[in-house]
Amino acid sequence: MSVITNPSTAEVPVRTRIWCTVPMVVCASFACLAQVSFASQQYAQDSAPYLWMIACVLVAIPSGLILLARNSYPQAVFWTACLLVVALPYDSLIALMALTSLLARRQGTKVTLRSVLAAATTTIWSQVRDALHPAEASIWHAIFSKPYTGVRYGNTMVMLVDERTIIASAVVVALIAVAIATLAGLHIRSRALARVAEAKAQSANEQVSRLRTTLDNQQLADAIAAEAHDTLAHSLSLLALNASALQAESRKLKAEAEQLGNANVAGMAGKIAGTTEDIRRQASGALDEAHSVIDMLRHPEDARLQLAANDAEASLTRDSLLQLIGDARAANMRIDTWIDVQQLGQLDESIGVIAYHVVQEGLTNVRRHAPGAPVSLQVDANPPQGVHVHVSNPTMPQSPSHMADTRKGGRSSWFGQTHTAGWRNMPIRF
C-alpha cells in the first residue's frame, strides 16, 4: 500500500467491502424515496408538481448506486450527491455517506473543510426544507405529532411542539449527522494510514534484516578472504618458490652431469627440471586463481556482475563452441570434434548454459588430468533427442584412478512441450 501525494490532496488506500457497500446503497435509495413520498402528499394527483414527484421517485430508486464509484471517484460522487439532495426533494443521507467516503479516501485540509462545509449546508437545507412542508407532507412533523392523528387516521394532525422547535430540532440533528459522518470518515482514514505506516515499518524492518544478513555474510567473506590470503596464498607462494629452487638445482645437477659425461644422470636431471617448471607454473596459476577468488570474496558486487557476464556468454551456440574449441587448441590440445546442432534458438536458455559448462568442464579436466592426450568431443543437439555431450580421451592401463563417468539428467521445454534434455549417456572419461 502507498499514499500518492499531489499538491492539494493525498490519496489514502481504503479497502471497499461488499458487505458494507450493499447496505449503504439500499439505505441511501430508501431515504431518498421516503422523503419524496412524504413531499408528494401536499400535491393533488392530477397536478404538474405531482408528476414531478413521480419523476423524482423514479430517480430516487437507483440514486444510491452512485456510491459504488466512491472508491475511484470520491469527490465526484460527493458533489453529485449534494447536487441531487439540493435540486430534488431527497434526504441528505446519501450526501453524508459520500462525505464519509471522501474524507476517508482523500487527505488534505482544503478538501476536508470544503467538503464538510458543503455537506453541512446540504444537510441543513434538506432537513429544514422537509420541516417547512405542510404537516401531512413532512417527516419532521410526523415525528413530533400526537399519536393516531392525521389524515391516515381520519382526523387533523395535532402537533406536540411548535414550528420553531421542529425547525431547530431539524438543524441540530443535521449538524449532529454531519459531525458523525465527518468523524467516521476521519476514523477510517486514520486506520488506513495506520495500515500504511505499519506496512512501511515492516518493510523497513525486513530491509534492515536483509542488510544485517548481508553485512554478516560480507564480514564472514572478508574473514575467509583474509584467512585464504594468509594461508593458501602464502602456501602457494612457498610452493612456487621451492619449485623454482628445485628447478635451479636440477639444472645445476644436469650441467655437472654433462661435464662428467654421465648422460643418464643428465637426462634424469633434465626431466626433473622440466617437471619442476610445470609445478612452478601450475603453482603460479593457482596463486593467481586464489587471488581472483579472494577478490571475489572481498568485492561481491563486482563478482556478481562478472559471473553474470560469464553466464551471459556461456550459451550453447556454434560460435561459443568454436571459440571454446579454439581456445583449447591454442593451449596445445589435440581435439577431434563432431558437432551437430539444430534449431538452438528454441532450446531452453538454462539448458544451453548447462550444456556449455559441461563441454567447458570436460576440456578443462582433460587438460588438467591428461595433458597431451588426444581428445574426442561430440555435441549433438536437436529437438527430438535433446542435448548429447560426449568428451573422452584414452587412458593408461596403470592409472584407472583417473577414469570418471559423469551422467546428468535434465528437463527442457522445446516446442512448448517437455522433453528429456540430452545428458543421457554423457560419459566424460580421463
Side-chain angles (χ1 to χ4, degrees), residues 290-308:
H291 282 300
S292 177
V293 173
I294 291 172
D295 289 339
M296 287 185 179
L297 290 173
R298 289 176 174 172
H299 305 91
E301 294 299 328
D302 295 340
R304 187 175 293 109
L305 294 176
Q306 180 180 356
L307 294 176

Side-chain angles (χ1 to χ4, degrees), residues 82-156:
C82 291
L83 180 62
L84 287 175
V85 173
V86 172
L88 304 177
Y90 288 167
D91 187 77
S92 59
L93 180 61
I94 187 173
L96 295 176
M97 290 181 175
L99 172 65
T100 300
S101 299
L102 174 59
L103 295 180
R105 291 169 172 80
R106 294 293 183 270
Q107 184 181 13
T109 303
K110 292 184 179 180
V111 173
T112 301
L113 294 178
R114 190 183 300 119
S115 58
V116 171
L117 180 61
T121 303
T122 301
T123 303
I124 291 174
W125 163 251
S126 173
Q127 302 305 320
V128 172
R129 179 182 57 192
D130 179 80
L132 294 177
H133 285 167
E136 297 291 343
S138 171
I139 296 178
W140 281 106
H141 283 80
I143 294 175
F144 288 100
S145 64
K146 184 177 180 180
Y148 307 110
T149 60
V151 177
R152 68 176 63 92
Y153 296 103
N155 51 35
T156 303

Side-chain angles (χ1 to χ4, degrees), residues 19 28 32 67 73 141 187 200 215 331:
W19 65 266
C32 294
L67 295 174
Y73 310 100
H141 283 80
H187 174 68
K200 288 184 176 180
L215 180 60

